[in-house]
Amino acid sequence: MYSLFGQSRVSVVENQFKVNVLLPGLVYEHGFNDKNTLYSEVSLGFAYRSNYYAGSSWQLYPNINEQFRHYYNLDKRSLKGRRVTHNSGNFVALNAIYNFKSISTNNNFSEDTSSFTIAPVWGLQRTYNRNFNLGLNIGVGYNFDKYDNEFVPVINFTLGWVIGK
């Protein structure tokens, strides 16, 4: 899984597949070098929208999430005896998210459209016994859609399992 370089240098996993269960989805993470990966996720997302005049609405939409991740604390975690398997560490990333049109929109509330968000994020990923995986990343991004461009919070929380050893 990890290669040792010198005494304590660890490296990200070259190929890793995961299944997310909180918001159903599939993930592939490809390691480019010791500390950098491309994280690719296809999943379902949800959103809550509120409008003073029309009320509120929940939306369910498919999305594609791409992140170029830089894991910055793998060596430090390893030296302290903490888990580093399956890219268990902290990272910074450039995140690009494409949200498709909602599959559960109330058009009487508001017209739905697809959107694209780009954001720098900070995150962490941990893999525990039996390959149980937890991930969190947060940041502030800029969202583009048919009607509006605006700054938005970006939060992604995942629970699932790493597939394979």
Side-chain angles (χ1 to χ4, degrees):
M1 289 183 201
Y2 282 90
S3 301
L4 291 177
F5 298 99
Q7 288 185 331
S8 65
R9 191 164 178 100
V10 295
S11 178
V12 297
V13 175
E14 187 174 336
N15 296 297
Q16 176 169 270
F17 292 93
K18 296 189 292 186
V19 174
N20 289 335
V21 294
L22 190 60
L23 295 173
L26 300 172
V27 174
Y28 172 68
E29 191 170 4
H30 175 73
F32 288 110
N33 56 31
D34 292 353
K35 305 288 185 239
N36 299 307
T37 67
L38 179 64
Y39 173 97
S40 302
E41 177 181 8
V42 176
S43 64
L44 290 175
F46 72 93
Y48 175 79
R49 295 178 69 181
S50 181
N51 181 306
Y52 179 76
Y53 299 104
S56 60
S57 172
W58 286 95
Q59 297 176 329
L60 183 65
Y61 53 88
N63 67 50
I64 297 173
N65 184 351
E66 296 288 331
Q67 294 180 355
F68 183 78
R69 292 181 171 182
H70 174 73
Y71 288 88
Y72 61 85
N73 73 333
L74 296 177
D75 291 330
K76 185 176 177 181
R77 287 181 60 80
S78 179
L79 286 172
K80 289 184 176 184
R82 295 183 180 156
R83 287 182 171 266
V84 292
T85 57
H86 299 290
N87 303 346
S88 290
N90 298 357
F91 60 87
V92 291
L94 182 58
N95 192 19
I97 307 164
Y98 184 80
N99 296 312
F100 292 89
K101 187 174 180 176
S102 174
I103 58 177
S104 64
T105 299
N106 177 356
N107 285 327
N108 294 328
F109 171 72
S110 68
E111 184 179 341
D112 185 47
T113 185
S114 57
S115 68
F116 176 76
T117 304
I118 190 158
V121 295
W122 172 88
L124 60 88
Q125 175 171 256
R126 301 292 187 267
T127 302
Y128 300 102
N129 293 335
R130 298 189 178 140
N131 289 347
F132 176 73
N133 183 270
L134 172 118
L136 171 69
N137 57 78
I138 58 174
V140 175
Y142 199 71
N143 185 69
F144 305 88
D145 67 31
K146 182 178 175 181
Y147 302 107
D148 197 12
N149 299 333
E150 61 188 343
F151 285 99
V152 295
V154 173
I155 301 171
N156 186 19
F157 179 69
T158 60
L159 290 173
W161 281 269
V162 173
I163 306 298
K165 295 182 181 184

